[in-house]
């Protein structure tokens, strides 16, 4: 488990003002579609950023961009709400 990923994910959550939960990422992945979270997997660990199901697509995209920027990932159409 990468402590740098944990630290970056916690920093990203603080910047976006959201909660983050961590799960081991295995072959038996948890279902995560339409749960209102942005999921990022790195080094066998999944971070689920609780952006929220009740927010608008624009707000989700705004928060997702900020989180991904801290983690060093691009915001793509696949990420977009």
């Amino acid at each position: 488990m990468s402590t740098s990923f944990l630290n970056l994910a916690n920093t990203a959550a603080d910047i976006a003002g959201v909660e983050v939960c961590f799960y081991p990422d295995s072959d038996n992945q948890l279902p995560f579609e339409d749960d209102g979270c942005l999921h990022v997997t790195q080094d066998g660990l999944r971070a689920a950023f609780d952006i929220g199901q009740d927010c608008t697509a624009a707000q989700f995209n705004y928060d997702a961009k900020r989180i991904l920027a801290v983690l060093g990932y691009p915001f793509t159409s696949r990420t977009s709400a």
Side-chain angles (χ1 to χ4, degrees):
M1 180 180 324
S2 172
T3 56
S4 61
F5 178 62
L6 286 170
N7 291 338
L8 280 175
N10 280 312
T11 298
D14 287 343
I15 289 170
V18 300
E19 292 184 31
V20 62
C21 296
F22 297 96
Y23 304 94
D25 193 52
S26 64
D27 292 338
N28 301 321
Q29 292 186 349
L30 301 170
F32 59 87
E33 288 188 24
D34 298 327
D35 67 354
C37 292
L38 171 68
H39 294 260
V40 178
T41 301
Q42 184 175 317
D43 300 331
L45 187 67
R46 180 187 302 176
F49 297 91
D50 188 6
I51 295 176
Q53 276 187 306
D54 298 328
C55 68
T56 65
Q59 184 63 47
F60 183 95
N61 291 344
Y62 177 76
D63 289 338
K65 285 178 187 178
R66 293 177 1 164
I67 290 167
L68 292 171
V70 172
L71 296 175
Y73 291 109
F75 180 82
T76 65
S77 61
R78 184 164 181 217
T79 309
S80 178

